[in-house]
Amino acid sequence: MLDRGWQGAPPAAPDGHQGPAPGYRDPGFPDTGGDDGYPDDQDEDEPDGPTRHRSRARAARRDRRRSAAAPTEPGPRPDLPHVAGFDGLRAVALLGVLAFHQGFEIARGGFLGISSFFTLSGFLLFTLALAEWSQNGTLALSRLWEHRARRIVPALLFTIGLVVVLQTALRVGSGPGFRGDVLAAVGQVLNWRFALGGDGFDSVLTNPSPVQHLWSLSMLAQLTLVLPLAFVGLMRLTGKRWRTAGAVVALGALGSFALAWLTAGRSGNDGMAYYGTHTRAGELLVGAVLAYAVLSPGVRKAIATPAGIKAVRYGAPLALVALAWLWSTTSLYSANLFGGVTAVNAVLTAWVVFAVTIPGPAATVLGSQPLRTVGKLSYAAYLLHWPLFLLIDADRLGVDGPLLFGARVAATLAAAAVVTYGVERPARRLRLPRPRLALALGVCAALVAAAALVLPEQPPEGVSLAVDDGNGAGDLDAVVPTGSGVATIALVGGSLASDLPAGFTAWNAEHSDQQVTVHTHIAAGCPLSGPGPVRVAGEVVGDDLECVGFGPRLPGLLEAAEADAVLVVPGVGDLAEREIDQRWRHLGDPVYDDWVADQLGDLADELSDAGVPVLWATSPHVRLAPGGDVEGYWSDLADNDPSRVDRLNDIIRRVASRHHDATVVDLQSWAQRLPGGEFGPANRADGRGLTEAGAVRAAAWLTPQVFERLGIEAEPDEAAAED
């Protein structure tokens, strides 16, 4: 009865035992079916019975025709049956990811659908390997990798090429690092770029890269290259002791989960823990362990009992409910994400994978036609969904919420059908010897990479990269000397920086022999950590064109300024709250603190490229008045908590300490020494910025700090002396 559930005759286990052979699908991500590593022309909805046998006969004839052009293989490919429930599971995982990227609270853990894809991929990859090893006594690595390349690479390159076109033509996904991200995606190392770069998965919502989601393809490509080699070595070492090989794989999975837990405990869920191949391989290896387990006589005996059959059949719906609970409650920043959640998700997925291979509720539901249809398109849909989500946004479509999500899903599935049947399937059936196939794919990859390098990298929509044109941040000669100029300063910052040019003008008026030129790059309401929206004192700000263009325009300002020093002055926007992982977070929240540190670190790297000293000013405390729908007094606002400012200043010091050309100037301490106190009305009337007199005092204190860094001896200043 159990064997009937596998929908086909089970091949022998590697030690001679007869074992059930689950229908192998593609180890690619997320597999849509079709190229099982078996005859390319075997279709997902190929029926059982005589029609199926005729299709297999046609496939065998085609294989014989190709044999003249293909290298001799050690044996035929195993003929494993199709399991419809796998397509349904792919569809469910895909929809979870789509709902997560839409930002639905109920799917805040929908990113775990990627983890489920990993587990299913591991099961299918090792099922194929074990079946072929049992049948032929070896694994044809070249053949396996050829089919992986045919299955994965054409649609992937098509998607990356589309991303480049959308960025150039419609400015979709424009942002810092675009070219690097595209090249890393083409080279299948995108996960390591994110793991080592520190940008974090928050950038999906705050500064999205149009290829952000392709990190999982990079990781699976790496594992698909390495794990078959490891499998062959392991099977040769263990011989017929395949249980030992399975135990080694299980230890590998446990080791990967342990590394993820240790890495997350040391540096958080972000970065290496999330994107590292070694930290995420455990989720795939759980599927590999399942492939070994189903060949175990003990496991087969246990599940062949009435109780075992019931446990597999009716435990699967409970496993699906548990997965739904995990996907609705887990956060990217959950403390237990790598302390058990990913492992539990993998085990629950493995239970469902095993259950859909026998008749039961899970097999019936997941094998239903609607889910199967979506599952067949899931690979192309996953590739295309994120750039299409960026293209089809609320501004372009004029709707939001469920209507926007419905439009995005419909467009994604329609485009996926075109790519699946217009690119992916023809590429699998293309008759080319392996050397020519490798050359063709390499040329296509090179063309996509060249297009990313040659075509202009467009700024976000509505943003001009020209500085000093009155269109956003970037004003050359905001302050010019009337006498002997000795230094040129590039002033970068937010609201507080916008008050300072008047002070530098006053400095020049008082110092005819030590005057400064000041070029500004200021967006008054914007945080240095990147565009919003952010929330400060009850108002949501930071998402206008000036803020969006602040980062893209900065390199142009630095190049045009040819400054002797850069002065960075934070503003009120840097003290604001920001929505990260569907929750408004503020300074003092460890998650937000780490994120701000990463963003300011990126800014520090960019400023270092100017090759001149960089001075980072600390932020004075604030007394912001309530705005928006918030009423009351300044003392009622948590935004005015001095500890938040102190935390920002701690982060600034930490960022500056990592750059040899960076120095911290303590503007906060200066403000506390002002006549009349930190919030003296003559200097800081609104508790937020500087009066004209306050700006004069600030410039009189800051300019000598810049001169000292440049080795220029400053003349005494009366305004500074009063401090």
Side-chain angles (χ1 to χ4, degrees), residues 16 60 282 285 312 355 357 380 451 481 515 545 716:
L285 291 177
V312 173
T357 62
Q515 297 191 355
L545 284 179

Side-chain angles (χ1 to χ4, degrees), residues 302-571:
I303 62 176
T305 64
I309 292 173
K310 288 182 179 179
V312 173
R313 284 179 179 172
Y314 302 110
L318 296 177
L320 285 169
V321 171
L323 285 173
W325 180 77
L326 281 180
W327 294 4
S328 64
T329 59
T330 303
S331 161
L332 285 166
Y333 291 102
S334 293
N336 59 350
L337 176 60
F338 293 110
V341 169
T342 53
V344 170
N345 191 88
V347 171
L348 292 172
T349 301
W351 189 279
V352 175
V353 167
F354 183 68
V356 298
T357 62
I358 66 174
T364 300
V365 173
L366 294 178
S368 62
Q369 190 61 44
L371 288 179
R372 287 182 63 189
T373 301
V374 174
K376 293 172 186 177
L377 303 175
S378 59
Y379 175 58
Y382 182 82
L383 291 176
L384 294 164
H385 86 277
W386 187 235
L388 289 179
F389 271 38
L390 296 178
L391 173 65
I392 307 171
D393 59 13
D395 291 336
R396 285 189 174 92
L397 204 60
V399 297
D400 204 349
L403 286 177
L404 176 61
F405 182 62
R408 285 171 158 177
V409 171
T412 296
L413 294 180
V418 172
V419 171
T420 298
Y421 294 103
V423 177
E424 179 190 325
R425 299 290 179 84
R428 292 207 311 265
R429 294 175 172 85
L430 187 63
R431 298 181 184 179
L432 277 179
R434 282 177 196 153
R436 292 185 182 178
L437 175 66
L439 178 62
L441 294 178
V443 169
C444 290
L447 289 174
V448 172
L453 289 171
V454 172
L455 292 177
E457 186 174 345
Q458 302 287 1
E461 187 174 1
V463 172
S464 167
L465 294 182
V467 298
D468 203 27
D469 62 354
N471 184 20
D475 188 10
L476 298 175
D477 297 325
V479 177
V480 294
T482 57
S484 177
V486 297
T488 299
I489 301 170
L491 177 62
V492 177
S495 55
L496 196 61
S498 66
D499 297 329
L500 289 174
F504 286 112
T505 299
W507 168 275
N508 284 349
E510 296 293 330
H511 300 81
S512 59
D513 294 331
Q514 288 191 323
Q515 297 191 355
V516 295
T517 300
V518 179
H519 308 298
T520 60
H521 193 77
I522 296 170
C526 307
L528 293 171
S529 56
V534 295
R535 187 169 65 188
V536 56
E539 292 185 282
V540 177
V541 296
D543 56 353
D544 56 16
L545 284 179
E546 188 175 50
C547 294
V548 172
F550 182 86
R553 291 166 63 92
L554 178 57
L557 183 281
L558 294 175
E559 182 179 358
E562 297 182 349
D564 299 308
V566 177
L567 176 61
V568 186
V569 182

Side-chain angles (χ1 to χ4, degrees), residues 151-169:
R151 172 69 176 82
I152 294 175
V153 176
L156 176 63
L157 292 179
F158 176 88
T159 300
I160 299 174
L162 177 64
V163 164
V164 173
V165 171
L166 289 176
Q167 194 279 147
T168 302

Side-chain angles (χ1 to χ4, degrees), residues 670-710:
W670 166 84
Q672 292 172 339
R673 299 194 304 270
L674 284 171
E678 186 174 6
F679 295 99
N683 298 289
R684 301 188 64 200
D686 59 359
R688 155 189 311 245
L690 297 169
T691 64
E692 185 173 349
V696 171
R697 291 180 180 275
W701 181 79
L702 285 168
T703 305
Q705 308 292 321
V706 176
F707 285 176
E708 181 181 357
R709 188 72 173 83
L710 295 175

Side-chain angles (χ1 to χ4, degrees), residues 649-669:
N649 292 335
D650 288 343
I651 293 171
I652 288 174
R653 291 186 179 94
R654 183 173 65 179
V655 168
S657 68
R658 296 173 180 170
H659 294 77
H660 67 88
D661 57 359
T663 305
V664 174
V665 291
D666 198 350
L667 198 62
Q668 181 192 53
S669 296

